Amino acid sequence: MTLRDYWRSTWWIAALIVLSLLSAAAIAGGTSPYVHPDEALHVNAFCYFEAAWWPPALNDDHLLYSAYGWSRVYSGEIVYLVYGKLMAMLEGVGLSGSRSPGLAQMSNASNRVYLPYVSGPAWCVKPVAGYRYISVALYALTLAGLYWAGRKQRLASVLALTMMATPQITYIYSYANSDAWGISMSLALLIFVILSAPMRLTSWWKMAGIGLLSGLVLLSKQPFWLILPFACAPLLVDGVLLWRRLRFASFARVAGPLFLAVVVVLLVAGPARAIYPLTQGDFGAKEVQMRESRAEASYRPSVPTAPGLSSASRGVDFQQIWGSTWWWSTSGRSSYAAFAHMTVWLPDWLYTAVLGIVMLYVTATVLVAGTRWHAIDAWLRVQLVLAPCTIMLAIGASLWNSWVSDVQPQGRYLFAGLAPLAVLMGGAMAVEPRWLQKVRYVGWLMLVVTALAVLWMYVTWNPVFG
C-alpha cells in the first residue's frame, strides 16, 4: 500500500488522533493544578530531577511524601528524570509556563496528599502546566507512531483506536503522572517487536532495540512489567523457526544477539533498579524507617489502622478481596473512565453499553480465529492465546496488591492489559471478511466519539476541575 492509499483509507483515524490530542491539551491547560490523582507527588519528583541526576538518600527532608510515607523520587522510574530534564530545557528557553501554587498553599488540594510534608527548595513550586504539556506531547508521539506503524501492521491502528476509545487513557496523558510513560513504553516495545520481523533473534541491532525498550519498561511503573512476556512472545516463534531449520546450529546464531539484549537491559535498568538501592545499605529496613517517620499515623507500617491497609497481615482472607463485587465494579469502571480522585463517574448505562460492545468485538475475534486459525500469522496466534492470560495476570496482580498493601481497585493498575485487549478486539482483522472489518471501524468511530464527548462533558467543562 502506498502512502497516498494509506492516507485515503485511514484519514479518519488521523482526524480522531488530532481531536484526541486537542482534548488532552484542553484538559492540561484548562484544569486547576493538583486536582488530578497524586499530581502533586509526581510534580515534586519531576521537579527534583530538574537539577539532579540521581535520587537523594532515603528520608530526605526536601521532598513531598504521601500518606504512606513514600516519595515518587524513590520509585526507580526513569520518567521523572526525563520529564525533569525536559522541563529544565524548556525553562532555559523561557517556555516553562506560569507558576503553580507552592506546597504550603495546596496541602488540601488533593485527597491523596497528606501531611506531613516538608516544603523545601524552589523545585517544589515549579509550574505544573509544563509537565502536563510534556505528557500531551508523549501522547502525540505515541499515537503518531502507532498511526505510522499501521501502514505495515494493522494491529498498530487497532492499538491507537483502542487508546482513543478509552477516556481514561486520554485523561492520563493530560496531567502529570507516570502511568502515561508506562503505557507508551509498553506499546513501543510491542510494536518494535512486531515490526522488526523477520528473524529478530539473529539480528544484533534488533535485539539491542528490544533490550533498550525492555529496559525502559522495567524503568516504568511496576504493573507494566507484566507486558514483557506478551510483547516478546513473537521471539518464541523466531526461536521455533530457527530450531526447525538449523537445529543446534541455531544456538550459535542466537547466542550473541540475545546476550547483547540482556546486557542492554542491565545497563538501562540496572542503575535505578539495582545500583541505587545498594548504595543505601539495608534498603528495606531504611525504607520502613522512612515510612514510619513520614507516613500519616494510620498508615505507619508498625500500626496500620487505615481501612483496607495491609489486609493480609491483619488476618483478612483473600476471598474477601477477590469476592468483592465492589472491587470488580470499581476496577472495571475506572479502567474506562473515572476522573478526579475517582469522584467523577459516568452513568451506569454507559459503562454497561461499552462493556457490551467490547464483548461483541472479542466474541467476533474468537469466532474468526477459531474458523481461520491457520490463516493467522504464527506470532499473532501466540499473542491471541496470551492476551487473556496477560489480562488475568494484571487483574490478579491488582487483587494481590489490594490484599497485601492497600485496597486500591483502580483501573490504571490494569493498563498492562491494554494491548492484549486490543489484540482480542481486533487482532484477527487481517483474515476477516471486509464487511466485518467495516463494522468494526464504524464501532470504533462511535467509541472514540463517545470518549471525546465524555472528556469534554465530564472533565473539560466540569466546574470541579476549574
Side-chain angles (χ1 to χ4, degrees):
M1 179 184 294
T2 66
L3 184 59
R4 178 177 295 181
D5 291 337
Y6 180 65
W7 169 258
R8 286 176 176 174
S9 61
T10 61
W11 63 269
W12 60 278
I13 299 180
L16 292 176
I17 289 175
V18 172
L19 292 175
S20 295
L21 293 176
L22 289 175
S23 299
I27 296 172
T31 55
S32 299
Y34 310 119
V35 297
H36 306 297
D38 293 337
E39 190 170 40
L41 295 169
H42 292 292
V43 168
N44 183 250
F46 293 142
C47 291
Y48 171 82
F49 283 105
E50 284 189 34
W53 289 91
W54 195 247
L58 287 171
N59 209 12
D60 189 273
D61 287 333
H62 303 102
L63 300 171
L64 182 64
Y65 292 87
S66 71
Y68 304 96
W70 181 256
S71 169
R72 302 298 305 179
V73 164
Y74 302 119
S75 69
E77 298 174 55
I78 198 173
V79 61
Y80 298 110
L81 176 65
V82 174
Y83 277 35
K85 295 308 178 186
L86 285 174
M87 178 57 71
M89 293 173 57
L90 292 175
E91 289 176 339
V93 295
L95 296 177
S96 61
S98 59
R99 296 180 69 82
S100 298
L103 296 182
Q105 299 172 267
M106 44 67 66
S107 59
N108 295 319
S110 166
N111 65 1
R112 298 300 290 175
V113 175
Y114 302 85
L115 294 174
Y117 63 75
V118 178
S119 183
W123 64 62
C124 292
V125 292
K126 292 294 177 69
V128 67
Y131 295 115
R132 289 180 177 180
Y133 285 123
I134 291 174
S135 188
V136 174
L138 177 63
Y139 195 27
L141 288 173
T142 302
L143 290 177
L146 291 174
Y147 180 76
W148 172 83
R151 182 184 172 190
K152 295 183 177 180
Q153 177 50 246
R154 194 192 303 261
L155 181 58
S157 298
V158 170
L159 286 167
L161 289 167
T162 304
M163 291 180 72
M164 294 185 290
T166 309
Q168 196 70 19
I169 297 294
T170 302
Y171 177 65
I172 281 175
Y173 279 95
S174 70
Y175 69 92
N177 62 79
S178 65
D179 295 276
W181 176 269
I183 294 171
S184 291
M185 291 304 104
S186 59
L187 295 181
L189 172 62
L190 173 63
I191 292 301
F192 183 84
V193 170
I194 292 173
L195 294 186
S196 60
M199 307 314 295
R200 288 150 286 226
L201 283 174
T202 58
S203 170
W204 290 84
W205 76 267
K206 290 178 182 179
M207 291 305 295
I210 292 172
L212 172 62
L213 291 171
S214 298
L216 291 176
V217 171
L218 290 174
L219 290 178
S220 302
K221 210 167 186 176
Q222 290 184 7
F224 292 102
W225 297 3
L226 300 177
I227 197 66
L228 288 170
F230 177 79
C232 295
L235 298 180
L236 295 176
V237 178
D238 286 0
V240 171
L241 293 176
L242 275 172
W243 175 258
R244 288 177 176 177
R245 191 174 66 185
L246 300 175
R247 294 291 175 178
F248 291 102
S250 63
F251 288 113
R253 298 189 60 179
V254 168
L258 188 59
F259 178 75
L260 175 62
V262 173
V263 170
V264 172
V265 169
L266 294 176
L267 290 175
V268 173
R273 293 298 183 186
I275 295 177
Y276 171 74
L278 291 175
T279 65
Q280 302 302 300
D282 190 342
F283 187 88
K286 289 186 176 180
E287 178 191 339
V288 171
Q289 181 182 1
M290 175 183 71
R291 292 174 54 208
E292 189 69 28
S293 64
R294 300 289 181 180
E296 196 179 52
S298 60
Y299 284 81
R300 290 174 182 167
S302 60
V303 188
T305 60
L309 190 67
S310 302
S311 297
S313 63
R314 292 159 74 172
V316 176
D317 192 275
F318 185 48
Q319 190 275 336
Q320 294 187 36
I321 305 297
W322 67 259
S324 168
T325 55
W326 169 80
W327 190 97
W328 288 93
S329 174
T330 304
S331 292
R333 291 187 300 158
S334 61
S335 65
Y336 178 71
F339 309 122
H341 299 91
M342 295 182 71
T343 55
V344 178
W345 297 88
L346 309 184
D348 287 340
W349 67 264
L350 186 52
Y351 292 111
T352 303
V354 170
L355 176 61
I357 294 173
V358 170
M359 295 309 297
L360 286 175
Y361 272 56
V362 173
T363 301
T365 299
V366 171
L367 292 175
V368 170
T371 56
R372 305 188 181 187
W373 185 250
H374 294 291
I376 300 173
D377 291 337
W379 64 267
L380 187 52
R381 293 202 297 267
V382 173
Q383 289 194 319
L384 284 168
V385 172
L386 288 180
C389 300
T390 305
I391 293 172
M392 288 189 290
L393 187 61
I395 294 173
S398 184
L399 281 166
W400 184 264
N401 180 72
S402 287
W403 188 47
V404 302
S405 181
D406 193 5
V407 178
Q408 293 282 336
Q410 299 187 37
R412 61 195 175 103
Y413 294 156
L414 306 180
F415 283 142
L418 177 67
L421 178 62
V423 169
L424 289 177
M425 290 181 66
M429 285 185 67
V431 298
E432 289 179 350
R434 290 188 62 84
W435 68 266
L436 183 54
Q437 295 179 14
K438 292 179 180 179
V439 169
R440 283 190 188 273
Y441 282 132
V442 171
W444 260 307
L445 177 61
M446 294 171 59
L447 287 172
V448 175
V449 171
T450 300
L452 293 173
V454 163
L455 290 167
W456 283 89
M457 293 174 62
Y458 288 88
V459 183
T460 308
W461 295 334
N462 192 337
V464 170
F465 298 95

